[in-house]
Amino acid sequence: MYPETIEKLLLKVQKPGRYVGGEHGEAIKDKRQVDVRFAFCFPDIYEIGMSHLGIKILYSLFNEKPYIWCERVFAPWIDMEEQMRAHDIPLWALESGDPLSDFDFIGFTLQYELSYSNILNMLELGGIPLLSKDRHDLKHIVVAGGPCACNPEPITDFIDIFFLGDGEEVDLEVIELFRACKKEGKSREEFLRLASRIKGVYVPSLYDVTYNDDGTINAVTPRDGAPAVIEKRVMMNMDKSYYPDNFVVPNIEIVHDRAVEEIFRGCIRGCRFCQAGFLYRPVREKSVECISRQTHALCRNTGYDEVSLSSLSSSDYTQVVPMLKELNSWAKPENVSLSLPSLRVDGFSDDILNEIKTVRKSGLTFAPEAGSQRLRDAINKNVFEDELMNTCRVAFEGGYTTVKLYFMIGLPTETMDDVADIANLGKKVLDTFYSTPNRPKGKAPRVTLSASSFVPKPFTPFQWEPQDTMDTLREKQQHIKKSIVDNKISLSKMTYNYHDSDTSYLEAVFARGDRRLNAVMLEAHKKGIRFDGWSDCFSLKNWLEAFEACGIDPAFYANRRRSFDEILPWDHLDYGVTKDFLHRECERAYRSEASPNCREKCLGCGCTKYKGGVCYEKR
Amino acid sequence: MKNVRVFYRKDGACKYISHLDTNRVMLRAIGKSRLNIWRTEGFNQHAYITFALPLSLGFASECESMDFRILDDDEDLSAIPERMNACLPEGIRVFRCAEAVHKPADIESAKYAVQIEPMNENEISFSELSEKWRDFLSLPEIIVQKKTKKGMKDVDVKPYVLAFEMKEGEKAAFDLTLPAGSTLNINPNLLIDAFAQSVGIELYADITRVGIYIKGGEDFA
Ligand code: SF4
Ligand code: SF4
């Protein structure tokens, strides 16, 4: 439902379907019959938020409880925001049409640093005081979870509670506590203090941070009995873990408009740049039986005829072929097609291809991440050139003509030669096409090289590394271009895209920032900054002015090499992987040494303490 | 195999589903309802559905229709509305299902129930607005800019106003019948926008398609 006041405005904005709700599968309840109202906020537009799996899981989980009504809120696009501000219409939730200020919990998912500015904007549009300290009484509890909660320090002034790790249990425990506190008439402060005792809950206002003269952190000290170290939560039994059997099915097209089944959590690989690979350890799989049952129910209930089998690295699922066969036993007759995203180069077998043939031949995508074997070893991306070429050959024989390769530039230990090898690798793929006898005849191949800038992230072996300066990154981008020209590659066969290094810089600042950045966030918000993830809105210049106004040097966070014994802003958060392990992995990177994956050999990262998953598989 | 036509209402939040997205919503509802309908063949197979007359974004309707082919000749058509409604968003309600009588190409006109009001309240009273609208429609000719294949063109739409009737009540409300179909389709907004321009007031129009007719004014069925 939407507020009556916006009816007249809807046809003045693009895609009004974003703002009206009313989809099949939305949860409608009587607000007088529930104890807790939870506004699940995604700090980006509808089409992106609705594509996100986490929100689907938690939305259904919460709404299964009769005493909770969880609703969805997305960031209004700038055209709608303008109308809302002009007509004094507060941000509303899609199910009831009620303003954010009517809710007990306002929950954000933190998927990317560049969405932080939208969080502040949404709070303001919803009529919620921005600063935690300005919110009183037992209402308007602003909570946040998701990958960026692993270093939430830059937004601790705005958020009351962070959830670390998997949310399925801890979120409910906190909601449950809130309900009890409300019944007993407890204060907001008391509720927060009690919440901080729950494992996986980080209440930042209960910690004091002091700094050294050089700007690094001196100490993080808990108060009021809050734990010194906050441990993430993990769902160890994925078969028993909650999974929705229905989704809210959008009425307008969204980015990923299909059913999604999560087949496992975590990743065995440990690519050294990849935060997800460390945050979600250890790998926990669902059984084939469970996947098939859940997927079937989802397709039946939503009407989707396409399922994406989602995970960080799908071909690493131990039962991938049996799973596809089992799924196809009902999917084929029911005209449901399967897709397996995040396939690794070496996981692209004939067996798999046969089972997912129903997927359109849109082209292949691989992520070698680095151009040279030396650098791939250093970042622990175990992709080998001959494997890549073999896979491309199989694909070309199967009728594919386009290959997209993703790379990163600015990786630790990278040289200009490594950078030039990006173009060389692309050229080799083209050569492979022409040397494949059964290639599609009469068609030209097309290789797209896509390079993004490396952003060092917390809880990775590169958490101490400086990011390349924007000048260096630009130089490297130009070097790839030059290498393509030097290789005399026809530009009709090779496309080169690169992501703007400006956004990567801001991402690097906030990813490893500390509490002093809260002031910058607030300043940026005052300047009207939002939608940083959208190139039509992002302006580094505006951000630099905000840093300047607060007397903070962003390079301190992005471009400084941190010493291994420095106290990092996220050191009091525990995601299972130890600092010692990450340090060892970093040293191996310096020696350009790859590491075995979790299935080959346990490297003792620290996650055995969760007592399950891949750590206890037979090797 | 039977050619089947379902009739449905579209309103509320579903007014804001574009024609393309309506197609998607319907396909999923059919998938979920497990109705056994004819599918296209070839590589990218999908259930085959067609729409008689697209509805503009933002319009409600009481008379939309969609065609498909039921594979099983014994299928109980009277059960289809309920089966589909269980799979559709609230704002789309199927109320009838029958074998198609007319061809979509037979469609000649459509009737719209329109309510206009100033975008900014109190800018003009409803009675004055009604008055002005009546005057506007009695002009000897109504020239509007219409998009054609050859760019913008001035057209007199006056002859296209097939029927017009003001409605009693406090609001500025009226019914308007205009040509519709694949050869000539006149959007009521064409007139309303021209009117708004002539009176110099930003207007909001609530528009519901209430009837679709074939030659001779018979209901499209
Ligand atoms: S394969 Fe590497 S990059 Fe991909 S999710 Fe796993 S660790 Fe991350
Ligand atoms: S403890 Fe060993 S097996 Fe388990 S996640 Fe860490 S490295 Fe992998």
Side-chain angles (χ1 to χ4, degrees):
Chain A
M1 220 167 78
Y2 47 94
E4 232 172 80
T5 43
I6 71 155
E7 185 84 68
K8 282 183 177 179
L9 310 175
L10 282 168
L11 287 176
K12 294 179 147 199
V13 301
Q14 291 172 39
K15 309 227 175 113
R18 289 167 173 168
Y19 307 107
V20 296
E23 308 93 330
H24 190 77
E26 68 171 351
I28 299 294
K29 297 190 179 185
D30 178 348
K31 60 183 167 196
R32 288 160 309 185
Q33 303 287 317
V34 298
D35 298 337
V36 181
R37 295 190 69 185
F38 194 110
F40 203 123
C41 303
F42 195 98
D44 211 318
I45 59 165
Y46 180 90
E47 291 94 318
I48 294 182
M50 282 293 289
S51 303
H52 183 251
L53 179 60
I55 179 170
K56 295 177 204 269
I57 297 178
L58 295 174
Y59 179 84
S60 299
L61 173 73
F62 293 175
N63 280 317
E64 279 208 351
K65 302 276 174 223
Y67 66 89
I68 308 173
W69 186 9
C70 175
E71 306 186 34
R72 296 160 298 148
V73 184
F74 301 96
W77 184 242
I78 41 179
D79 56 353
M80 182 50 110
E81 179 185 339
E82 198 183 307
Q83 298 291 341
M84 287 163 62
R85 289 190 188 276
H87 296 89
D88 245 335
I89 299 170
L91 182 60
W92 64 93
L94 292 183
E95 280 73 4
S96 63
D98 290 339
L100 268 194
S101 50
D102 281 7
F103 286 78
D104 299 307
F105 281 93
I106 293 110
F108 287 94
T109 170
L110 309 173
Q111 296 300 315
Y112 24 86
E113 292 81 1
L114 295 180
S115 67
Y116 290 172
S117 54
N118 278 7
I119 295 180
L120 272 63
N121 202 38
M122 286 171 80
L123 286 174
E124 186 194 70
L125 286 170
I128 308 286
L130 285 185
L131 294 170
S132 196
K133 67 171 170 57
D134 295 338
R135 296 189 287 260
H136 309 290
D137 308 329
L138 199 51
K139 60 173 187 186
H140 302 166
I141 309 291
V142 181
V143 300
C148 295
C150 76
N151 178 29
E153 297 303 286
I155 50 172
T156 47
D157 285 358
F158 314 101
I159 311 278
D160 301 309
I161 294 180
F162 292 98
F163 298 123
L164 312 192
D166 296 338
E168 284 95 335
E169 287 173 350
V170 63
D171 293 19
L172 281 180
E173 289 164 22
V174 169
I175 294 173
E176 199 70 76
L177 174 72
F178 174 87
R179 190 184 179 211
C181 287
K182 208 165 140 186
K183 277 203 183 112
E184 292 160 26
K186 290 208 162 85
S187 70
R188 182 184 188 93
E189 290 67 35
E190 196 149 352
F191 161 70
L192 289 176
R193 201 162 51 235
L194 289 169
S196 76
R197 308 295 194 272
I198 299 174
K199 190 173 159 189
V201 172
Y202 175 40
V203 179
S205 57
L206 299 180
Y207 296 79
D208 294 318
V209 182
T210 51
Y211 301 91
N212 299 313
D213 291 341
D214 64 0
T216 57
I217 290 173
N218 175 261
V220 177
T221 321
R223 267 189 290 110
D224 291 341
V229 173
I230 304 101
E231 267 189 79
K232 77 163 174 182
R233 291 290 284 268
V234 237
M235 301 303 295
M236 289 309 295
N237 187 334
M238 290 302 288
D239 275 10
K240 293 216 178 99
S241 185
Y242 178 82
Y243 202 74
D245 61 5
N246 201 1
F247 288 169
V248 178
V249 183
N251 290 333
I252 62 169
E253 192 175 19
I254 59 170
V255 180
H256 299 294
D257 206 1
R258 57 187 78 98
V260 185
E261 170 69 10
E262 185 182 22
I263 59 176
F264 65 90
R265 230 168 250 183
C267 180
I268 57 169
R269 300 278 159 183
C271 303
R272 292 179 183 130
F273 55 84
C274 173
Q275 190 181 41
F278 295 97
L279 286 186
Y280 298 113
R281 284 181 176 219
V283 164
R284 296 142 281 156
E285 295 194 339
K286 277 184 194 167
S287 67
V288 168
E289 182 276 323
C290 174
I291 291 169
S292 178
R293 176 170 37 81
Q294 291 181 345
T295 311
H296 204 172
L298 254 187
C299 291
R300 285 281 174 110
N301 291 333
T302 56
Y304 277 121
D305 59 2
E306 193 184 342
V307 197
S308 169
L309 301 161
S310 149
S311 71
L312 288 172
S313 176
S314 305
S315 37
D316 284 333
Y317 182 57
T318 48
Q319 309 292 318
V320 66
V321 175
M323 168 188 73
L324 292 172
K325 291 216 156 97
E326 170 62 30
L327 286 168
N328 270 331
S329 70
W330 56 264
K332 275 222 171 102
E334 293 182 23
N335 300 306
V336 169
S337 66
L338 311 175
S339 67
L340 205 53
S342 322
L343 269 185
R344 278 175 51 83
V345 170
D346 55 353
F348 195 84
S349 70
D350 272 350
D351 262 359
I352 294 181
L353 263 192
N354 283 336
E355 297 296 327
I356 56 172
K357 229 182 206 141
T358 40
V359 175
R360 267 156 259 140
K361 290 192 177 172
S362 53
L364 283 179
T365 309
F366 295 114
E369 306 293 1
S372 71
Q373 193 59 51
R374 205 275 317 151
L375 187 53
R376 283 196 295 273
D377 287 342
I379 61 172
N380 203 30
K381 185 86 203 180
N382 287 309
V383 166
F384 298 96
E385 195 173 299
D386 50 343
E387 272 172 7
L388 176 63
M389 297 311 152
N390 274 334
T391 301
C392 288
R393 190 166 296 122
V394 172
F396 293 145
E397 282 169 350
Y400 287 85
T401 52
T402 61
V403 177
K404 222 179 184 172
L405 300 175
Y406 285 97
F407 297 94
M408 262 187 266
I409 51 172
L411 288 161
T413 78
E414 182 179 63
T415 64
M416 279 302 184
D417 287 343
D418 294 318
V419 173
D421 276 342
I422 291 176
N424 296 337
L425 196 65
K427 171 142 197 315
K428 285 177 195 158
V429 172
L430 282 177
D431 293 344
T432 302
F433 180 85
Y434 287 110
S435 69
T436 303
N438 300 326
R439 66 178 180 266
K441 289 285 142 57
K443 281 195 200 156
R446 188 158 190 88
V447 173
T448 304
L449 307 178
S450 187
S452 59
S453 307
F454 168 67
V455 178
K457 293 274 168 115
F459 295 103
T460 68
F462 294 151
Q463 62 180 357
W464 296 277
E465 292 295 308
Q467 184 184 46
D468 270 354
T469 60
M470 283 186 284
D471 284 341
T472 310
L473 289 169
R474 278 188 210 114
E475 232 174 87
K476 288 180 174 174
Q477 284 161 353
Q478 292 312 315
H479 195 61
I480 300 181
K481 267 195 187 157
K482 184 173 165 294
S483 310
I484 294 175
V485 175
D486 289 352
N487 265 310
K488 299 199 174 54
I489 302 168
S490 146
L491 291 178
S492 67
K493 296 186 184 120
M494 189 175 296
T495 321
Y496 168 55
N497 309 320
Y498 50 86
H499 293 274
D500 179 25
S501 54
D502 288 6
T503 49
S504 310
Y505 180 56
L506 191 70
E507 197 184 327
V509 173
F510 281 100
R512 295 185 299 162
D514 58 32
R515 291 195 175 187
R516 287 168 297 190
L517 294 183
N518 278 287
V520 184
M521 281 300 316
L522 194 59
E523 178 66 23
H525 172 70
K526 287 191 191 137
K527 293 169 71 72
I529 289 178
R530 73 258 192 267
F531 280 113
D532 290 312
W534 294 76
S535 52
D536 31 355
C537 296
F538 181 74
S539 154
L540 185 61
K541 189 178 143 279
N542 287 349
W543 270 104
L544 293 178
E545 284 168 16
F547 280 105
E548 175 100 53
C550 300
I552 284 179
D553 176 15
F556 175 80
Y557 300 99
N559 309 117
R560 177 174 63 93
R561 178 175 296 284
R562 305 183 187 207
S563 86
F564 288 118
D565 50 22
E566 178 175 331
I567 296 177
L568 302 170
W570 53 92
D571 273 357
H572 54 301
L573 309 183
D574 177 359
Y575 274 74
V577 289
T578 61
K579 211 172 171 182
D580 182 49
F581 161 74
L582 295 174
H583 184 177
R584 285 196 317 264
E585 278 294 292
C586 185
E587 297 283 358
R588 287 179 88 137
Y590 293 159
R591 299 193 300 267
S592 305
E593 257 176 55
S595 287
N597 69 48
C598 289
R599 288 222 165 82
E600 290 162 350
K601 183 173 184 275
C602 171
L603 293 174
C605 75
C607 288
T608 41
K609 70 175 175 191
Y610 300 118
K611 302 263 173 289
V614 67
C615 320
Y616 292 84
E617 278 174 17
K618 286 209 179 65
R619 289 188 184 76
Chain B
M1 194 149 71
K2 266 195 274 201
N3 283 330
V4 166
R5 182 162 293 156
V6 291
F7 293 86
Y8 60 93
R9 271 189 284 277
K10 190 167 179 265
D11 58 20
C14 289
K15 282 193 294 196
Y16 301 103
I17 310 180
S18 68
H19 182 61
L20 209 70
D21 287 331
T22 303
N23 190 63
R24 225 186 311 272
V25 167
M26 286 296 185
L27 282 177
R28 274 194 307 249
I30 287 171
K32 178 167 156 61
S33 70
R34 314 206 58 70
L35 275 172
N36 196 7
I37 81 166
W38 185 77
R39 300 172 65 81
T40 59
E41 278 149 27
F43 192 72
N44 182 13
Q45 300 184 5
H46 60 91
Y48 185 74
I49 56 176
T50 53
F51 294 82
L53 190 64
L55 185 70
S56 300
L57 187 76
F59 287 22
S61 175
E62 295 172 358
C63 53
E64 290 310 284
S65 70
M66 172 180 79
D67 297 355
F68 49 81
R69 296 175 204 159
I70 285 278
L71 290 174
D72 180 359
D73 282 334
D74 297 328
E75 186 83 52
D76 176 13
L77 299 191
S78 69
I80 288 181
E82 210 174 309
R83 273 177 77 178
M84 288 196 64
N85 285 340
C87 309
L88 281 164
E90 277 278 309
I92 296 180
R93 292 292 93 182
V94 176
F95 57 85
R96 198 159 77 85
C97 174
E99 287 191 54
V101 180
H102 305 118
K103 288 196 285 293
D106 296 339
I107 294 173
E108 288 218 318
S109 63
K111 180 150 106 183
Y112 302 90
V114 183
Q115 242 185 53
I116 49 176
E117 52 184 290
M119 195 57 96
N120 305 307
E121 252 174 279
N122 306 327
E123 206 171 333
I124 183 170
S125 75
F126 281 120
S127 57
E128 201 183 334
L129 195 59
S130 298
E131 197 69 27
K132 284 192 189 272
W133 171 255
R134 210 190 302 263
D135 293 347
F136 178 73
L137 278 196
S138 41
L139 291 171
E141 56 174 17
I142 303 171
I143 304 295
V144 302
Q145 289 233 305
K146 195 176 187 299
K147 237 196 279 169
T148 66
K149 281 178 199 120
K150 289 185 214 117
M152 296 304 269
K153 217 176 96 183
D154 280 347
V155 239
D156 178 14
V157 287
K158 174 77 193 237
Y160 297 143
V161 181
L162 306 175
F164 162 68
E165 194 184 339
M166 287 308 285
K167 282 201 241 166
E168 294 300 314
E170 287 164 25
K171 299 239 166 136
F174 48 87
D175 284 347
L176 197 58
T177 307
L178 298 169
S182 44
T183 34
L184 178 67
N185 200 58
I186 301 292
N187 188 318
N189 273 327
L190 205 61
L191 277 133
I192 296 163
D193 290 349
F195 170 64
Q197 223 169 27
S198 79
V199 292
I201 293 172
E202 200 187 349
L203 291 178
Y204 167 72
D206 176 83
I207 303 173
T208 306
R209 183 146 74 193
V210 292
I212 297 177
Y213 312 105
I214 61 161
K215 214 186 187 96
E218 193 187 328
D219 275 325
F220 175 70

